Amino acid sequence: MDSEINSKVNLQEILNTLEVDRKKIAETYQTCYILAGLTILILIVSIFIRFPALGVFGCLVPLIIGIVMYFRIDDEAKKYKSAYKINVVGAALKSINETLAITPLSGLPEYEFVSSELFTTEPDRYKTQDLITGTTDKTSFWFAEVHAEYKTQTQTKNGTRTEWHTIFEGIIFAADFNKNFNVSTVVRPKSFGASLGAWFSKNVFSFGNTEVVQLENTEFDNKFVTYSKNQIEARYILTPAMMERILELNKKCDETISISFIHSKMYIAFPLSQNYFEAPIHSSLLAPDLLTDDLSIVKFMHDIVHELDLNTRIWGKE
């Protein structure tokens, strides 16, 4: 109890210190916005009175001051955001599970994203951050925010036009599944387009010898399509109890999840548009609901281990 009280006191002290930094950053950004507005106003007035030279020279001072202030405070903002993730989010995670830790500049490596077989188009642009790792009972797990995109290029009369398309945006969760699978088994949404991006219409999946697995759960087969090169192993993984647990997990999500079982690991893709674990700039750090959304998503990911019963060593792997 004493350690819990001490941790809350320490967290409050960290928040109080960071709140001072936040106010300074927010006020400086606000000043930059005012200077930018003043620059535009001077230009508009100079054009209106037909004295453009006055506008050019008159807007230089606020413009230069604003740019210098912006770049200086931008460095401070980056340090503030990093300190928030490490000291505030990092400390709050311990209230869920003592083993939880966040590494803001790390994420799910691109090679692991590709090898998970959740997606078969390799990204041309890949961003990942906020890796959270932990262990519950015997099972280690990790998850991170991921934004993967592919590009298309078309020739126009003005040259080459490049467009970026989202393959996936959200959180990829991974956990030790306690068995070295002989082949991969992949469970994807029945309706691909809405949940995993418009690129499905342009990229037809090629599974080689992989077959569609017909399972004995009608609701599961109506929601998902299951692919595997080994029907027996796929059914051994997707037991009636496991399918029920996956369906229950999916009901808690706004969009349909995708799952793969490969290399003794389980991967789950959760399509999400919200960016988590970011420090507020223009709202107070002392708000009582500051960490509510962040901790709720972490708790959700943490509880997957229990919801899917990953601690049960059905193949005897310890």
Side-chain angles (χ1 to χ4, degrees):
M1 182 65 73
D2 287 342
S3 62
E4 186 177 338
I5 293 172
N6 288 336
S7 65
K8 286 183 178 179
V9 171
N10 291 336
L11 180 58
Q12 192 59 51
E13 289 175 353
I14 293 168
L15 287 170
N16 290 338
T17 301
L18 284 176
E19 177 66 5
V20 174
D21 296 336
R22 184 201 68 78
K23 285 182 177 178
K24 175 189 171 185
I25 293 165
E27 287 168 2
T28 306
Y29 275 136
Q30 190 172 17
T31 302
C32 292
Y33 302 149
I34 292 170
L35 289 170
L38 182 60
T39 301
I40 294 169
L41 181 62
I42 291 172
L43 281 173
I44 292 172
V45 170
S46 66
I47 292 170
F48 184 75
I49 64 173
R50 298 181 180 180
F51 198 174
L54 173 65
V56 172
F57 290 108
C59 72
L60 279 178
V61 174
L63 181 63
I64 292 171
I65 293 173
I67 290 172
V68 171
M69 288 181 67
Y70 183 86
F71 280 105
R72 281 185 178 176
I73 205 61
D74 203 46
D75 287 337
E76 293 296 318
K78 288 175 182 175
K79 292 175 185 176
Y80 158 74
K81 290 176 181 179
S82 177
Y84 173 83
K85 288 184 179 182
I86 294 169
N87 298 324
V88 178
V89 176
L93 292 178
K94 303 299 181 183
S95 66
I96 297 173
N97 181 324
E98 276 293 329
T99 69
L100 288 174
I102 184 170
T103 311
L105 298 181
S106 292
L108 188 82
E110 186 174 348
Y111 74 83
E112 191 170 8
F113 176 86
V114 173
S115 67
S116 72
E117 295 190 17
L118 289 166
F119 315 95
T120 59
T121 293
E122 293 193 17
D124 295 310
R125 185 162 66 188
Y126 184 82
K127 297 177 183 176
T128 183
Q129 63 175 353
D130 298 336
L131 175 69
I132 292 179
T133 58
T135 305
T136 179
D137 295 334
K138 300 174 183 178
T139 303
S140 59
F141 61 92
W142 55 101
F143 57 93
E145 293 181 70
V146 168
H147 188 195
E149 300 168 283
Y150 77 95
K151 68 180 177 181
T152 57
Q153 292 182 316
T154 52
Q155 294 297 325
T156 68
K157 61 182 181 180
N158 297 320
T160 303
R161 184 178 67 191
T162 300
E163 292 182 302
W164 290 94
H165 313 270
T166 295
I167 298 172
F168 175 78
E169 183 177 13
I171 290 177
I172 303 286
F173 173 92
D176 175 16
F177 200 71
N178 319 313
K179 183 186 188 297
N180 291 311
F181 308 122
N182 295 318
V183 298
S184 59
T185 295
V186 182
V187 178
R188 290 191 176 91
K190 197 96 172 187
S191 55
F192 294 121
S195 58
L196 293 179
W199 62 280
F200 280 105
S201 62
K202 300 175 72 66
N203 296 271
V204 178
F205 283 107
S206 175
F207 294 108
N209 295 323
T210 301
E211 301 174 359
V212 173
V213 182
Q214 295 296 328
L215 298 162
E216 296 177 1
N217 186 315
T218 305
E219 185 184 356
F220 192 88
D221 273 346
N222 287 337
K223 179 65 68 174
F224 301 103
V225 181
T226 304
Y227 302 92
S228 182
K229 292 180 182 178
N230 187 321
Q231 297 265 337
I232 295 173
E233 185 173 82
R235 291 189 178 92
Y236 201 31
I237 294 168
L238 294 166
T239 62
M242 175 59 81
M243 286 187 284
E244 287 295 335
R245 291 187 184 106
I246 291 173
L247 284 168
E248 286 302 312
L249 181 66
N250 189 64
K251 286 175 184 176
K252 297 178 181 179
C253 304
D254 292 334
E255 296 192 51
T256 307
I257 61 177
S258 297
I259 305 177
S260 66
F261 303 87
I262 184 169
H263 306 317
S264 81
K265 297 181 180 70
M266 178 187 69
Y267 293 93
I268 310 178
F270 294 92
L272 297 165
S273 56
Q274 182 174 338
N275 194 6
Y276 291 91
F277 318 119
E278 297 302 320
I281 296 290
H282 299 291
S283 59
S284 176
L285 284 175
L286 306 181
D289 61 346
L290 173 69
L291 292 164
T292 300
D293 288 346
D294 290 346
L295 293 186
S296 66
I297 195 69
V298 172
K299 184 76 164 56
F300 179 83
M301 297 292 161
H302 174 270
D303 291 348
I304 289 172
V305 174
H306 294 293
E307 291 200 21
L308 298 185
D309 197 22
L310 301 185
N311 282 311
T312 299
R313 267 39 183 170
I314 58 176
W315 286 284
K317 180 180 174 183
E318 295 296 334

